[in-house]
């Protein structure tokens, strides 16, 4: 059997541990308006027993004009404490289709110092389809205190990205679709130029999973190799708004790659500037 990531858990693993003390389960689903899915309403209608809802819009920096900006560490700690989560918990994150928005929350918690953080392989859609337990009951939350230990060195700023693009000091792995990368498909957010950063490699987040399940380690390595990503070099991941970039980060960490950053502003920031270099066509 092919080896899987140490950072994902199987539906069987989670179902066997649903009543285990110290387990926190998060529904981190989020969708674009054009997807016609309401993540909060879906959670309220049915979720894994014991799960709480992680709202990407609420757990972002309100002072930023960009979508989904990493929140201030103290604000993150206060919010997740109110959700009954501690940094000592075993934290399992899921989303609807699987390997879409849950890796972002996995990355956020790890960047805030939590150690035992995992992504549910297959997502909630597959969980439901296989007849596993769901509920619409309101999850009871016990008071907790999440103690953050923010690692700012895992988050790339706009200034850092300018230096990276200019110097080529890090490889850039872009998780957006191939069409958005080459500039043939429009960006889903208005006011953004189309294309990619000079030197970037196209690694669509969807290429790293199969029907919501993260590919095995050999499969992940093959996708990154085919994209021209050298795992012996430093890497920064990017996407549209910093969410699906974390799917690449999950793949990298699964393969033992540690020298990686996530560009939080991603294309929502880079593509909005008028003076940032943008390339269209294949890398």
């Amino acid at each position: 059997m092919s080896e899987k990531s140490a950072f994902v858990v199987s539906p069987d693993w989670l179902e066997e541990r649903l009543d285990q003390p110290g387990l926190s389960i998060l529904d981190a689903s989020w969708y674009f308006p054009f997807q016609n899915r309401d993540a909060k309403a879906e959670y309220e209608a049915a979720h894994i027993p014991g799960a709480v809802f992680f709202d990407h819009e609420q757990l972002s920096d309100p002072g930023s004009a960009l979508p989904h900006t990493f929140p201030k560490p103290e604000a993150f700690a206060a919010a997740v404490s109110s959700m009954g989560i501690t940094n000592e918990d075993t934290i399992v994150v899921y989303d609807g289709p699987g390997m879409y928005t849950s890796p972002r929350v996995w990355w956020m918690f790890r960047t805030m110092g939590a150690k035992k953080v995992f992504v549910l392989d297959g997502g909630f859609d597959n969980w439901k389809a296989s007849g596993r337990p769901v509920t619409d009951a309101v999850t009871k939350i016990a008071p907790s205190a999440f103690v953050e230990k923010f690692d700012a060195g895992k988050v790339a700023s706009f200034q850092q990205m300018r230096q990276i693009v200019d110097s080529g000091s890090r490889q850039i792995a872009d998780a957006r679709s191939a069409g958005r990368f080459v500039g043939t498909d429009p960006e889903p957010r208005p006011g953004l130029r189309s294309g990619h950063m000079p030197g970037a490699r196209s690694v669509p987040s969807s290429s790293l999973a199969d029907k919501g399940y993260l590919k095995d380690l050999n499969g992940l390595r093959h996708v990154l190799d085919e994209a021209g990503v050298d795992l012996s070099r430093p890497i920064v991941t990017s996407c549209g708004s910093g969410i699906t970039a974390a799917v690449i980060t999950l793949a990298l960490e699964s393969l033992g790659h540690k020298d990686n950053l996530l560009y939080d502003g991603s294309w929502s920031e880079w593509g909005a500037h008028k003076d940032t270099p943008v390339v269209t066509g294949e890398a």
Side-chain angles (χ1 to χ4, degrees), residues 152-153 155-167 169-170 261 270:
V155 188
S157 68
F158 178 67
Q159 290 74 21
Q160 281 177 286
M161 284 308 301
R162 277 203 179 269
Q163 294 169 356
I164 289 167
V165 169
D166 289 345
S167 67
S169 59
R170 285 181 179 271
L261 311 178
W270 192 270

Side-chain angles (χ1 to χ4, degrees), residues 25-30 40 52-64 66-86 91 93 101-102 104-112 141 144 146 148 150 155 241-243 262 264:
I25 308 171
L26 301 179
D27 183 330
S29 302
W30 176 88
K40 184 69 181 296
V52 295
F53 186 71
F54 185 100
D55 191 326
H56 289 268
E57 307 296 344
Q58 293 297 319
L59 275 102
S60 62
D61 185 355
S64 173
L66 298 169
H68 312 131
T69 302
F70 208 107
K72 297 288 190 295
E74 58 274 14
F76 180 90
V80 300
S81 293
S82 72
M83 297 161 69
I85 302 166
T86 78
I91 302 167
V93 190
T101 56
S102 50
R104 165 73 180 192
V105 179
W106 167 86
W107 172 78
M108 291 176 76
F109 271 96
R110 281 168 54 84
T111 304
M112 287 293 186
I141 296 174
S144 72
F146 185 94
E148 56 83 10
F150 179 47
V155 188
S241 66
I243 288 187
L262 188 149
D264 201 37

